[in-house]
Amino acid sequence: MMQSPRLAGQGTELAGQAFAAVFKAIKAVRPVRPIHPSGLGLVGELTRHGMEDRAVAGMPGARSGISWLDTAGSDQVQARFSRSVGLPAALPDILGLALGIGSGGGAGAGGMAASSEIGADAGADAEGTAGRQRADILFASTGWGFPARFLLLPKIDVGAAKFTTLMPYKGADGPVLLGLRTLSLPPAATGRAETGGDFKNALGTGEWVLALSFATPTRRWIHAGTLRLRAAPGPEDLPTRFDPLEHPLPGAGTYPWTRRLREYSYRVARGPAPGKPARRRAGSASNLQRSARPTERTSMSTVTQVFNSPAPDVWKVIADGWLYSGWVVGASRIRAVDAHWPEVDARLHHSVGAWPLVVDDSTKVAAVDPGKSLELIARGWPVGEAKVVITLEDLGSRCRVTIAEDAVRGPGFAVPKALRDPAISIRNRETLKRLELMAAGGAGR
């Protein structure tokens, strides 16, 4: 029984890698957007009823456990409606609706955005309103009852389609799904799920009104808000992409298994097409960090994970040299730490290996940007030396942590890169999992 969580984790990680392989194959044909190749830009408003109003209306179980959803308010919305496979409008397709709250002018605090790796193109940054938190949610056309709410369903009639997040959020009271269903379409709309033509023209003269609901995985849906959408001014489609791991919903966490299913495919969707160099988006905070050391993400083995802890909490663990043996895979004990760690040239003296076959050596700080990045030269002779770069990207109540590593000297450097990179990646994925647990548990505080 103790093996089951580990086996489940390995299963979802393999499934995530399988999804990424499918994305990579499609990306060879569609280099910009492997799924949802075209879409329809929308704007509108979302009114949240809040927990108190739901209770007054006599709705049992009125608390969702997600603070944003349980608080009454109104948000300006930017949205993208799209078809997953990009089939002709005359054929059914998996539909996606990407809602962006807090990503446009006038969006309320606690803003949100929505999209789906199946229901809308998972992807890159779009800066939110200055000083306001942005969040992304992913919706796709599914069934509405249990278990159909976890099954993707192609639809041809947008009015009859139901949209869910497919994978649950981690609310204060447990798993929570979000859903959307149509209440009314503009009078001129035919109902056909198309990303242009009559549907776009109809939304230029009227509103698409949907009910926002939430539910636990097996129980009934509870109406939590009303969404009103209309055609966005300007270009028919939107360049904006959405990522719920980078822009989380206020008051909601994510389960590790849902992250594992998504992260690999997101990385492929954001990256270059096979055989083509990566293009950076100007102005992105994450890319400003990457441009400082352009070779580290391209030539080094790199793993990334979004933590359900703020960046300062994670940095406190990293900044305490005595904690390294608790989260760095392979470090069996810490023997001494320089008093000025983690300043440049500071060292921590560690042992590597399993007792009694341990090797004493040290790790030195090569560069540091406190709270944001740490570059290390880790020694473990006779194997050799490795360069390790740890970066933190602040996501408000969460953060994205990246470890880039490669051998730089010794016998380890002589191992072909095609062989050493997978081994480094496997070890550092476990390192990130341990680091997240220690940060969540309050280590280093």
Side-chain angles (χ1 to χ4, degrees), residues 144-380:
W144 198 243
F146 177 82
R149 63 185 62 171
F150 297 104
L151 301 176
L152 293 166
L153 295 180
K155 291 289 183 177
I156 195 169
D157 183 351
V158 69
K162 306 296 193 300
F163 302 85
T164 75
T165 51
L166 199 64
M167 287 184 274
Y169 283 92
K170 186 177 183 180
D173 302 325
V176 182
L177 286 171
L178 299 184
L180 291 169
R181 58 184 178 85
T182 297
L183 297 178
S184 65
L185 291 170
T190 63
R192 176 171 289 183
E194 54 190 2
T195 57
D198 292 340
F199 190 48
K200 177 182 184 298
N201 294 335
L203 287 169
T205 59
E207 291 184 330
W208 181 12
V209 184
L210 303 100
L212 173 67
S213 302
F214 71 88
T216 60
T218 61
R219 296 190 176 182
R220 70 181 185 88
W221 293 95
I222 295 177
H223 187 193
T226 303
L227 174 65
R228 299 178 180 273
L229 297 173
R230 55 192 177 274
E236 182 173 294
D237 202 351
L238 292 174
T240 305
R241 303 185 185 185
F242 306 89
D243 183 341
L245 300 181
E246 185 169 354
H247 303 288
L249 182 64
T254 56
Y255 290 96
W257 67 268
T258 65
R259 291 203 305 270
R260 286 191 290 266
L261 283 174
R262 287 171 165 161
E263 280 180 329
Y264 294 107
S265 56
Y266 282 13
R267 197 176 305 158
V268 170
R270 291 191 196 98
K276 295 186 178 181
R279 294 188 300 172
R280 294 192 179 93
R281 293 178 302 280
S284 159
S286 59
N287 282 312
L288 290 176
Q289 288 186 353
R290 293 170 189 168
S291 63
R293 298 185 180 95
T295 61
E296 282 150 15
R297 298 288 179 95
T298 56
S299 64
M300 303 174 74
S301 172
T302 304
V303 295
T304 300
Q305 182 175 316
V306 175
F307 287 15
N308 287 321
S309 296
D313 287 358
V314 179
W315 182 257
K316 288 174 183 176
V317 180
I318 295 173
D320 188 338
W322 288 103
L323 297 179
Y324 269 57
S325 60
W327 59 276
V328 176
V329 175
S332 58
R333 63 190 177 196
I334 302 299
R335 296 176 289 112
V337 179
D338 286 359
H340 58 296
W341 179 273
E343 297 176 14
V344 174
D345 291 334
R347 293 177 184 267
L348 61 82
H349 303 269
H350 52 68
S351 300
V352 177
W355 186 89
L357 303 177
V358 293
V359 176
D360 293 341
D361 219 316
S362 64
T363 289
K364 177 181 176 182
V365 178
V368 63
D369 186 354
K372 296 181 180 179
S373 66
L374 183 65
E375 181 178 317
L376 305 170
I377 299 298
R379 293 168 49 91

Side-chain angles (χ1 to χ4, degrees), residues 402-440:
T402 299
I403 299 180
E405 179 180 347
D406 202 1
V408 293
R409 290 184 61 195
F413 186 66
V415 176
K417 187 170 177 60
L419 297 179
R420 69 174 184 261
D421 273 5
I424 294 172
S425 294
I426 291 171
R427 176 166 52 80
N428 282 342
R429 277 196 289 269
E430 175 62 24
T431 291
L432 285 177
K433 292 174 185 177
R434 297 182 184 185
L435 177 59
E436 180 180 27
L437 290 171
M438 291 186 70

